[in-house]
Amino acid sequence: MTDPGDAPAGNATRSHARGLPRQRHTSGSVPSGSAPSDYAPSRSAPSRTGSRARPKVGAGRRARPVGRGRRILRTAVMSLSVLVLATAGVGWWFYEHLNGNLHSVPLTDGSGDSAGKEKADAFGRTPINLLVVGSDGRTNASDCKLGGGCSHTGVQSGSNADVEMVMHISADRSNATVMSIPRDTVTTVPACKDTETGVSTNGYTGMVNSALQYGPACQVATVHRLTGIPIDHFVKLDFSGVVKMSDAVGGVSACVDKDVYDTYSHLKLARGTHTLKGVAALEFVRSRHGFGDGSDLGRTYSQHIFLSSMIRKFKSAGTLTDPTAVYRLADAATKALTVDTGLGSIRKLIGLAADVDKVPAKRITFTTMQTAPDPSDSNRLVPAATAQSLFATIANDQSLTNASGKKTAEASATAKAPATASAVPAAQIAVTVENGTTVTGRASAVATALLDKGFSSGTTTGNAAGTTSTTTLTYGSGHKAEAQTAAKALGLPSSHLKQSDATGTGLTLVIGTDWTSGTAYPAAPADTKTATADAHAETADQSKTCAKVSPYKTVSLDGVAMTPTQAYRAATGTKDSAP
């Protein structure tokens, strides 16, 4: 069966493009955030067939009194009803309890498009970009005890973003990228207002983590302005939240390559692998003097190791099959989180968790935004030029791994370069679109897209002589500028444009098997070498990775500067954070 005027390659038909029925692409996937119904009605017991007939009285058996049998049946039915109602009641209480734990606020403060908008792929699917924030706020006695620093200031009202990560989940849910933004990065904080407290700013240049003082929406706007990546949701976690979460999952496994004692975060571990629970987990993710060069960069690397381990534990068999453990985890998580209103219910969080769970650990890449020293302050950072490539890779929904989990091969500069539009108006350009694939309707779909973009009504469709692997746009002498305009409209790279040897010919677009869906040419694979140049990057399945303890004198013990390993050996009277 073929569409009018557009059969698979090899069928000789041709027709005028206008008037052809448009094809609608639909996805059979469940919408993001949807979840099965929480409760199903109880089933009635199925009727029995083929049962023995009741013996007659006097045939050798005593008849059971009818009244007693009915009472037993009535009692059983009532007991079953009570059990069903009790079970449903507990479930409903649990659901409402978790919903009540959540605290949600708006994603934006309502001033313009401060979070950005996602672009759907050819099937109408959109990626998800989640901003994960770890707050350093000492807004209650518990966080003061865990974080310290309240002896002089007392409980504080504001907070900074100690941790900032953009988690990108691809539109097809096949891969994910988690990019850390070092808190010492200097950037522009736009004018914004905290929707809960009313505290506002007219905008300033400062550390990226300071935007949280004006509310989560301000932090979202700042990260979007810095990276150009649309932000769809945010999740904020405080000190006590890290402790509760690590305890709820039974601890998280983490490895250090040397003995380490960070006298600032109080993390003290012997070389090797440890199960980090409670305060020990918090000390590990907060440690900046124990790892790397003692800056915030080293801390992001150890955080990636911790989160990768947590992801592996979630995905391992049996972790989420214990109802008691699931309750502890759900209760701890919802009490610890502040989320945007788009995630402000258990059903929506379950939908997000399901989307994350679809991505294999080997296709979740953890990386850190590339930075350079701030020319005006050596203790601060600014985004490096190479960071723009990483931002674009995430914003364009490009994966940093292939199906095997390995880094994608470097794409050639020629293949990536988009065609440059010319000054020739689209209305003056007619294109012959031919289907060189085995997919019915490809030429019609692309031709209709061109017409919708204002190209000439002389655009026609047909079928190529045979199947071709590469999409090409061939143009005759004197029509290069027109070809560039058409290629630009379709997102076709300049390397796919070819000049015909024949004179006087117009534009012919032959759609190859490299473009079997959608009306925009697929983006080239991410140039991993450029996107992650000068950046730390690893996938979540790398279970043998150990955090690199700093070889520098980044800590101090009894007023003496020393390395974290030297401090560990000197602090014999201090108990290790974990066995």
Side-chain angles (χ1 to χ4, degrees), residues 32 61 93 347 403:
S32 172
R61 291 188 182 181
W93 172 86
R347 185 177 296 276

Side-chain angles (χ1 to χ4, degrees), residues 16-20 22 426-427 429-431 433 443-461 490:
H16 198 280
R18 181 60 75 185
L20 290 176
R22 297 189 182 182
I429 304 172
V431 184
V433 185
S444 298
V446 175
T448 300
L450 286 170
L451 291 167
D452 288 343
K453 291 177 181 292
F455 281 76
S456 169
S457 59
T459 295
T460 59
T461 62
L490 297 170

Side-chain angles (χ1 to χ4, degrees), residues 125-150:
R125 303 169 301 188
T126 54
I128 300 172
N129 288 317
L130 175 73
L131 178 62
V132 181
V133 173
S135 166
D136 72 350
R138 279 79 165 173
T139 55
N140 55 60
S142 176
D143 282 339
C144 273
K145 182 179 179 180
L146 291 168
C150 296

Side-chain angles (χ1 to χ4, degrees), residues 212-235:
L212 190 59
Q213 296 178 13
Y214 303 98
C218 191
Q219 194 67 64
V220 166
T222 302
V223 170
H224 174 59
R225 181 175 182 135
L226 170 66
T227 65
I229 299 170
I231 304 297
D232 308 296
H233 300 290
F234 72 80
V235 171

Side-chain angles (χ1 to χ4, degrees), residues 233-286:
H233 300 290
F234 72 80
V235 171
K236 182 168 74 77
L237 191 69
D238 57 18
F239 290 153
S240 57
V242 175
V243 172
K244 292 174 183 176
M245 290 283 287
S246 60
D247 280 345
V249 299
V252 177
S253 178
C255 171
V256 292
D257 70 340
K258 296 177 184 177
D259 296 341
V260 56
Y261 181 29
D262 181 347
T263 56
Y264 296 94
S265 76
H266 307 296
L267 176 73
K268 188 170 187 279
L269 295 173
R271 175 185 176 184
T273 301
H274 306 270
T275 299
L276 305 178
K277 297 181 179 180
V279 175
L282 179 63
E283 291 172 351
F284 187 86
V285 298
R286 289 194 69 210

Side-chain angles (χ1 to χ4, degrees), residues 262-418:
D262 181 347
T263 56
Y264 296 94
S265 76
H266 307 296
L267 176 73
K268 188 170 187 279
L269 295 173
R271 175 185 176 184
T273 301
H274 306 270
T275 299
L276 305 178
K277 297 181 179 180
V279 175
L282 179 63
E283 291 172 351
F284 187 86
V285 298
R286 289 194 69 210
S287 177
R288 63 178 290 165
H289 297 88
F291 304 114
D293 60 0
S295 72
D296 202 48
L297 292 174
R299 174 161 57 182
T300 65
Y301 306 161
S302 58
Q303 288 167 353
H304 295 168
I305 292 172
F306 183 88
L307 291 174
S308 294
S309 179
M310 182 175 281
I311 287 172
R312 291 193 300 272
K313 186 157 190 177
F314 281 148
K315 288 180 174 289
S316 65
T319 300
L320 299 179
T321 57
D322 179 0
T324 303
V326 169
Y327 171 78
R328 285 199 305 266
L329 177 60
D331 194 43
T334 50
K335 284 179 179 177
L337 298 179
T338 295
V339 299
D340 69 283
T341 50
L343 288 179
S345 72
I346 296 304
R347 185 177 296 276
K348 292 174 181 177
L349 283 174
I350 289 173
L352 176 64
D355 283 329
V356 175
D357 192 53
K358 293 174 185 176
V359 184
K362 66 182 180 181
R363 299 209 68 194
I364 301 176
T365 302
F366 284 88
T367 188
T368 302
M369 180 191 85
Q370 298 94 327
T371 57
D374 184 348
S376 59
D377 187 345
S378 60
N379 293 319
R380 298 290 178 258
L381 303 168
V382 293
T386 48
Q388 297 303 319
S389 178
L390 179 57
F391 298 160
T393 297
I394 296 173
N396 293 329
D397 195 23
Q398 294 176 296
S399 175
L400 292 177
T401 61
N402 57 27
S404 68
K406 297 180 180 179
K407 289 184 178 181
T408 53
E410 183 177 8
S412 68
T414 303
K416 293 191 304 172

